[in-house]
Amino acid sequence: MAIAIDIQSVTRAYGPIKALDGIDLAIKAGEFFTLLGSSGCGKSTLLKLIGGFDRPTKGRILFEGRDVIDVPANKRPVNTVFQNLALFPHMTVAENIGYGLKLRGLSGAALKAKVEDALDLVELPGFGPRGIAMMSGGQRQRVALARALVMEPGILLLDEPLTGLDERLRQQMRDEFGRLHRRTGATFILVTHNQDEALSLSDRMAIMHQGRIEQLDVPAQFFARPANSFVAGFVGIDTLLKPERIEQHSDGLRAVIGGQSLRLRSPMGSLGDDSLVAIRPDRLRISESLDGADLVLTVVGTTFRGLQTDVHLAFADGQSLVAVVSSDSPSATLAHGARVPLSLLPDAAMLLSGLGMPPAA
Amino acid sequence: MVAEAAQRLSANAEIRDLSSKPAARLAAGTVNRTSPMNRRPFALLAPPLLAILLLGAVPLVLVLVWSFWTWDPATYWIKPDMSLAGYSAILDAGRWTVIVSTLLKAAGTATLCVFLAFPIAYVVQFLSGPRLQALLLALITIPFFTSYLIRSFSWRLVLGRTGIVNTMLQHIGLTQAPVDWLLFSNFAVVVGLVASYLPFAVFPLVLAFRRVPPDLIAAAQDLGAGFWRAVATILLPLTFSGIFAGFLFVFVMTAGSSTEVQMLGGAGASIVSVMINDVMRVANYPLAFAISTVVLAVIFTLVLVGNVTFKLSSLFAEEDR
């Protein structure tokens, strides 16, 4: 039932502006796939093309090997949970869910049974006769999900479905998506700008930027091997430092920053002059003594974040990085100007191509 | 404890009586209806309310009252009475056929306007960027910039025997002689009326469309509906208040129109406003007011029924999504 999608060099241009610029993407049948990116990156445009609400300027879109560009939205085996849900306000919950089934010719007891099954699936049994206005935000979310899933689509598109929900509900619905994905086995495609959603749900994900895919991989790889500095920044590796120079040593590459040298993990592919050193905050440790420290930096401030505290540390040239420490550790109360020894765990620092560069080959 | 609470309650009751002290009443939890903040809406509304009363309600009551007076054809004099003579005169002289044909013409024109306005509103609201939207809305208001008289007269130039349409038809060889029924006919009247009053149907519909998120159409299509099905099951029910408001506006304006009928209608064409005018010429005010009352009654009934059935007020309600 699940459908594989093959997107082949798809471009969607609005006049001179390319919302999508030569996208190649193969999504496996039954996969939970996420398109991650900030607004305007083209992720919603791509979703519209898959849903059949728009046509690509160039390129092909195949479902199970069949070109679907000329198939209109109402004839595609795709259903969508829209960003603002798009529930029909003049219909009850049951009428909303039954809308598509009715168009398929279902009626009477068969229709009722399917609608009730769908309500059970999203854990809203007995809510059928209610008006949409009487449902809470989270319940509406579930109705929208039920309305799409009751059609038993081969592909379910989720267009930023969690925006506008509070954090607790967001968490709850996120778990719900995972459960429904396992339950239905359909290909799920989620569009979001929220990396937590993407990381916790996806089998694979793509980070998009300016109409291109910057990196396409399983979530863990975005941290282990970010394709470039944009991707690193997007997944929360915020520290990007400009090296004075890169040196080739016997034990590998080293970057010199503010007069100090630090070991780099070997980069992927070739890098230009605009390369940056990304530092993973989770792989930094504040050491006890200066002996054997990889770096010695100066404290320029601390930010209390509840359980954890960010310690801002500066190099001699003014560039700074953040070390995350437990709020009850002595490091959390380091004075401004203190000299702090740091040790770097393996792969803490990596060399990445600069912002907006095409992904490394 | 209980005694203390009871004491406090009775104290509150006393405070409530001291209505001259707003703070005390606030503390006692009563609604502060006469505070300056709450009085302001009424102060602001007073001038328009007075205008509506003096210029709207009072004349209407006079129309109703005078419609029961009697008219002496010998002296052209009217005197107070409780007579139904005016109303029976409507039935006697076949004047009711003019009323009926007016209402039918108004209903027909209004229906036509709504049919034309619906796709216009769709294009304006769903298919236009902000700039095109502003341009289209400005174009739609153009009929307001010329007088009804001039506009009706210009239709004569278009539809007449030597008008643009007939010249074109003959030029491309569709007809040999000028088509006569284009002007001084019901056709010409309806053309003139539609051209004049179409904006009154477009604006309520645009207002109604504005309250429909465009995603709803996409959602219907996503669930398997073709375009027309989506329009019929989603757009139509959600814009019904606008459709009815547009119908009503055009209906009311058309029922009261006279210029278009006089300028473009045939020799036998008559309409209520013209008939009322004729009756007024002989100072038969009771009959004129009886006719007015009947037409007003029909329109008021329509408004009332429409408001209950289609919730016209929802057109102006706050968005609830």
Side-chain angles (χ1 to χ4, degrees):
Chain A
M1 195 53 214
I3 289 173
I5 305 163
D6 205 358
I7 293 160
Q8 299 178 343
S9 43
V10 161
T11 295
R12 177 66 174 100
Y14 298 96
I17 299 152
K18 283 183 178 169
L20 292 174
D21 191 1
I23 298 281
D24 281 300
L25 178 61
I27 299 170
K28 297 172 199 152
E31 190 172 29
F32 199 125
F33 191 90
T34 301
L35 294 165
L36 181 63
S38 40
S39 65
C41 73
K43 59 189 195 298
S44 291
T45 308
L46 188 52
L47 204 70
K48 271 190 197 145
L49 293 178
I50 297 171
F53 300 108
D54 195 5
R55 292 176 67 93
T57 314
K58 276 207 296 267
R60 300 206 301 164
I61 297 174
L62 310 173
F63 288 0
E64 294 291 334
R66 198 168 62 93
D67 195 331
V68 291
I69 288 203
D70 292 320
V71 180
N74 55 336
K75 301 262 165 61
R76 290 196 190 189
V78 182
N79 287 104
T80 309
V81 175
F82 289 83
Q83 184 167 2
N84 56 16
L85 304 184
L87 294 173
F88 307 130
H90 58 303
M91 298 182 188
T92 63
V93 169
E95 284 167 345
N96 264 279
I97 297 173
Y99 183 85
L101 295 174
K102 259 191 185 167
L103 291 174
R104 278 192 189 160
L106 247 65
S107 63
L111 174 71
K112 210 169 163 234
K114 279 237 173 192
V115 169
E116 271 165 20
D117 282 352
L119 281 169
D120 286 343
L121 184 69
V122 296
E123 288 162 358
L124 286 175
F127 280 81
R130 291 228 193 161
I132 294 301
M134 290 165 67
M135 306 293 276
S136 72
Q139 288 171 334
R140 288 183 198 196
Q141 193 83 52
R142 288 164 194 272
V143 174
L145 260 171
R147 187 177 69 174
L149 286 174
V150 80
M151 304 298 286
E152 292 167 10
I155 301 163
L156 182 75
L157 305 179
L158 301 155
D159 187 4
E160 305 240 12
L162 298 179
T163 25
L165 294 185
D166 64 48
E167 192 46 45
R168 202 174 49 83
L169 220 50
R170 205 177 252 273
Q171 201 91 43
Q172 208 179 325
M173 287 312 297
R174 197 185 296 169
D175 297 345
E176 190 82 8
F177 289 159
R179 185 176 69 83
L180 290 170
H181 177 240
R182 287 188 295 277
R183 181 83 188 268
T184 59
T187 309
F188 274 41
I189 303 176
L190 171 70
V191 156
T192 183
H193 61 269
N194 182 314
Q195 53 143 324
D196 289 341
E197 271 167 45
L199 296 172
S200 59
L201 286 167
S202 318
D203 294 324
R204 287 192 309 152
M205 62 187 220
I207 288 189
M208 293 185 66
H209 181 52
Q210 292 180 344
R212 292 166 180 273
I213 292 176
E214 296 290 343
Q215 189 167 357
L216 168 66
D217 224 322
V218 297
Q221 282 297 311
F222 285 81
F223 294 89
R225 291 204 164 258
N228 55 38
S229 60
F230 176 81
V231 170
F234 208 89
V235 297
I237 304 173
D238 298 318
T239 302
L240 294 165
L241 304 170
K242 202 163 174 45
E244 282 158 31
R245 61 181 182 277
I246 306 292
E247 295 170 347
Q248 182 75 53
H249 288 249
S250 54
D251 61 342
L253 289 175
R254 296 185 79 90
V256 179
I257 301 169
Q260 302 193 61
S261 159
L262 61 148
R263 202 173 58 244
L264 294 173
R265 201 197 57 201
S266 54
M268 300 185 292
S270 58
L271 293 160
D273 291 341
D274 60 348
S275 298
L276 296 170
V277 175
I279 301 197
R280 287 173 63 172
D282 60 318
R283 292 190 162 264
L284 288 177
R285 295 285 182 274
I286 293 180
S287 6
E288 299 293 316
S289 71
L290 291 167
D291 299 336
D294 292 307
L295 292 170
V296 179
L297 302 178
T298 310
V299 175
V300 288
T302 56
T303 309
F304 177 68
R305 293 191 177 281
L307 294 175
Q308 294 176 323
T309 295
D310 292 352
V311 181
H312 302 269
L313 300 158
F315 286 86
D317 65 354
Q319 295 197 80
S320 68
L321 55 79
V322 174
V324 180
V325 300
S326 170
S327 286
D328 53 11
S329 79
S331 312
T333 51
L334 281 166
H336 193 276
R339 300 278 290 163
V340 174
L342 280 173
S343 60
L344 303 178
L345 301 183
D347 292 351
M350 49 206 154
L351 199 58
L352 300 174
S353 68
L355 189 86
M357 292 284 290
Chain B
M1 268 295 265
V2 176
E4 202 189 328
Q7 208 174 1
R8 209 182 304 138
L9 254 177
S10 69
N12 274 351
E14 271 167 41
I15 289 168
R16 232 174 253 131
D17 289 334
L18 301 172
S19 44
S20 59
K21 278 192 172 173
R25 280 187 302 119
L26 253 178
T30 56
V31 180
N32 209 350
R33 282 211 185 79
T34 50
S35 80
M37 272 312 280
N38 282 342
R39 225 171 351 195
R40 193 159 295 154
F42 295 106
L44 284 172
L45 272 181
L49 218 56
L50 197 71
I52 289 171
L53 269 177
L54 277 179
L55 308 174
V58 170
L60 281 185
V61 171
L62 283 180
V63 164
L64 184 66
V65 170
W66 285 353
S67 72
F68 294 107
W69 288 17
T70 43
W71 175 69
D72 183 358
T75 58
Y76 297 118
W77 204 249
I78 57 172
K79 62 168 186 284
D81 204 341
M82 265 311 289
S83 138
L84 289 174
Y87 291 92
S88 66
I90 296 175
L91 293 174
D92 290 346
R95 289 192 175 92
W96 64 273
T97 56
V98 177
I99 296 180
V100 169
S101 82
T102 300
L103 294 178
L104 284 179
K105 201 171 284 168
T109 308
T111 309
L112 200 59
C113 281
V114 166
F115 265 101
L116 293 172
F118 196 85
I120 295 176
Y122 185 89
V123 170
V124 166
Q125 198 54 35
F126 290 152
L127 303 183
S128 311
R131 287 178 63 184
L132 182 60
Q133 200 171 60
L135 177 73
L136 286 174
L137 287 175
L139 284 175
I140 290 160
T141 55
I142 279 184
F144 293 137
F145 295 134
T146 45
S147 93
Y148 289 92
L149 204 66
I150 292 169
R151 230 176 313 134
S152 298
F153 190 78
S154 62
W155 277 113
R156 283 194 181 184
L157 304 181
V158 175
L159 299 173
R161 283 180 67 85
T162 55
I164 296 165
V165 175
N166 267 324
T167 312
M168 288 261 286
L169 285 177
Q170 286 170 86
H171 186 76
I172 58 174
L174 268 176
T175 57
Q176 297 305 311
V179 181
D180 276 327
W181 53 263
L182 282 181
L183 189 60
F184 305 124
S185 62
N186 277 337
F187 172 81
V189 172
V190 170
V191 167
L193 289 173
V194 168
S196 293
Y197 300 115
L198 185 58
F200 291 96
V202 171
F203 283 106
L205 265 169
V206 168
L207 213 57
F209 271 61
R210 202 160 276 181
R211 295 173 53 79
V212 180
D215 267 7
L216 293 190
I217 308 285
Q221 288 176 304
D222 184 72
L223 292 165
F227 175 76
W228 294 110
R229 173 87 65 159
V231 167
T233 55
I234 307 298
L235 205 50
L236 216 56
L238 288 175
T239 54
F240 230 97
S241 56
I243 292 173
F244 187 74
F247 177 89
L248 204 62
F249 283 166
V250 177
F251 181 86
V252 170
M253 306 287 289
T254 317
S257 67
S258 60
T259 316
E260 288 83 359
V261 180
Q262 286 174 306
M263 300 281 290
L264 303 171
S270 191
I271 198 157
V272 164
S273 53
V274 176
M275 180 169 71
I276 292 173
N277 211 17
D278 291 343
V279 175
M280 297 271 267
R281 218 167 275 154
V282 292
N284 190 346
Y285 288 103
L287 175 57
F289 291 157
I291 298 168
S292 305
T293 305
V294 169
V295 175
L296 279 173
V298 170
I299 290 170
F300 272 127
T301 311
L302 257 177
V303 174
L304 282 177
V305 169
N307 209 7
V308 173
T309 321
F310 306 114
K311 307 235 175 352
L312 283 185
S313 45
S314 74
L315 207 53
F316 304 99
E318 203 85 15
E319 301 232 5
D320 48 7
R321 280 180 293 278

